[in-house]
Amino acid sequence: MAESQDNVLNLLKKSEEFLKKKNIPSARLDAEILLADLLKIQRVKLYVDFERPLSLSEKDEYRERIVQRSKFKPTAYIIGRKAFFDSEFHVNESVLIPRPETEELVAWVLEEYPNKEDSLDVLDLCSGSGCIGISLAKARKEWNVSFTDSSESALEINKKNIQEILNTDRSFELYHGDLLSPIPNETKFDLVVSNPPYIPEADKPNIMPDVAEYEPHLALFVSDFQGFHTKILTEAKSKLKPQGRLYLETHPRYSNWLKDTALSLGYSEADLKKDLSGRDSFVRLKI
């Protein structure tokens, strides 16, 4: 018979203490998420059955997960999933972990296009896990959504998420290549939506270790923000239909530069939107 120290409550307490000693900021929450996922139950159910003993194999697996987290490996990568908008996305170290700020970008686009009967051609640029495009496609069944990323392994995760989350006969184009270069010349979009890499490489020392040490640097950092984003603005402009729009998540420090540069490149309108923290994290550009 398992000893009481092997039950859910005691293991959570010990794991929380261990993670706190390792300076993990959300120690209790992470301990709960990792255990609930292991036991295949909702997190709240841990406290319904907190005296439940764990088997030897469950304890070993849980201990391994806690050790991984103590080394700052993100919880989402340990369990292989992350909730975003109203879906759960597969993630691994080939793709960025979807962020709440990006949910705000998706919500903004949907607010501006409320008619569910409209048929639009949409591109998720630098798509990663596909969380932006898939969330838009799930909410707007008539939209024709395509995806592009420079990482083949990211596109594999993207494809898996399309299959499992959308579970539909709709066809989705996935393009592999640098920004919009793989898109056929004749293909044009009503909307391009993107969370591209936007953290200047000079900021690397200030980034949390669970991000800097595990998430793909190709999707996070840019050596030349202005050069890279000028390329995005120029390529997107050539791919947008008349009245088309480009929505970007960006570094608040560069949002005004993006706005001014877009207008100088011939976009007719450029608007900023604040995230819930009050930072100018989003830019909307119109042809």
Side-chain angles (χ1 to χ4, degrees):
M1 185 173 175
E3 299 176 18
S4 61
Q5 67 187 33
D6 297 334
N7 68 27
V8 163
L9 189 61
N10 285 322
L11 286 170
L12 280 175
K13 285 180 179 176
K14 289 198 307 189
S15 298
E16 179 186 10
E17 290 166 9
F18 177 70
L19 292 176
K20 278 183 175 176
K21 286 177 184 174
K22 299 292 185 177
N23 297 314
I24 302 298
S26 50
R28 182 65 176 205
L29 175 62
D30 292 344
E32 291 175 355
I33 290 171
L34 292 171
L35 184 55
D37 177 75
L38 175 66
L39 299 178
K40 295 181 170 53
I41 60 175
Q42 293 180 324
R43 193 159 57 91
V44 68
K45 294 288 178 64
L46 292 171
Y47 295 96
V48 175
D49 196 12
F50 62 80
E51 293 184 350
R52 169 182 173 172
L54 270 68
S55 69
L56 185 60
S57 63
E58 287 172 336
K59 281 191 299 178
D60 287 345
E61 171 63 21
Y62 186 49
R63 188 178 297 112
E64 174 58 28
R65 289 178 170 209
I66 293 296
V67 168
Q68 288 182 64
R69 183 64 188 123
S70 76
K71 295 175 180 176
F72 288 91
K73 185 171 184 176
T75 302
Y77 286 156
I78 297 172
I79 67 174
R81 296 190 315 281
K82 178 66 176 177
F84 180 87
F85 222 66
D86 57 356
S87 304
E88 272 213 326
F89 286 79
H90 289 284
V91 293
N92 64 17
E93 290 172 51
S94 299
V95 299
L96 282 185
I97 297 167
R99 302 294 203 276
E101 293 83 4
T102 310
E103 290 181 309
E104 296 177 49
L105 176 63
V106 171
W108 188 23
V109 174
L110 293 174
E111 283 167 15
E112 299 219 312
Y113 292 88
N115 190 340
K116 295 186 179 182
E117 304 307 313
D118 283 348
S119 177
L120 299 178
D121 293 312
V122 180
L123 177 66
D124 180 352
L125 173 65
C126 304
S127 60
S129 65
C131 63
I132 292 175
I134 290 169
S135 298
L136 293 173
K138 187 174 178 181
R140 299 288 181 266
K141 302 288 193 288
E142 298 302 316
W143 288 12
N144 173 35
V145 181
S146 301
F147 304 82
T148 184
D149 200 283
S150 61
S151 165
E152 285 191 83
S153 52
L155 287 170
E156 286 301 314
I157 295 294
N158 190 335
K159 186 176 181 180
K160 186 175 183 180
N161 283 322
I162 288 172
Q163 291 167 343
E164 294 198 12
I165 294 169
L166 296 178
N167 189 24
T168 174
D169 292 332
R170 291 159 71 187
S171 62
F172 298 91
E173 293 288 346
L174 285 84
Y175 299 101
H176 173 237
D178 180 47
L179 297 179
L180 288 95
S181 63
I183 309 294
N185 288 334
E186 66 278 7
T187 302
K188 304 287 183 181
F189 300 99
D190 297 287
L191 300 177
V192 175
V193 188
S194 184
N195 176 21
Y198 59 71
I199 302 173
E201 285 192 350
D203 290 1
K204 273 185 186 181
N206 305 321
I207 301 298
M208 289 283 291
D210 48 355
V211 176
E213 294 174 18
Y214 288 95
E215 298 203 51
H217 284 203
L218 188 67
L220 281 168
F221 299 105
V222 284
S223 57
D224 175 9
F225 182 98
Q226 294 182 347
F228 180 71
H229 281 76
T230 298
K231 189 176 181 183
I232 290 177
L233 298 180
T234 303
E235 292 187 10
K237 186 169 179 286
S238 72
K239 286 293 177 186
L240 283 166
K241 299 177 186 179
Q243 311 303 314
R245 296 181 183 183
L246 169 62
Y247 290 81
L248 292 172
E249 181 174 337
T250 194
H251 198 301
R253 195 160 74 223
Y254 289 95
S255 56
N256 278 304
W257 176 87
L258 269 172
K259 180 179 174 181
D260 294 342
T261 303
L263 292 172
S264 74
L265 289 171
Y267 285 86
S268 66
E269 293 181 36
D271 299 287
L272 306 182
K273 184 176 173 64
K274 295 185 185 301
D275 63 21
L276 292 177
S277 302
R279 301 170 303 177
D280 288 325
S281 292
F282 309 113
V283 182
R284 178 189 61 207
L285 308 171
K286 296 182 185 177
I287 293 296

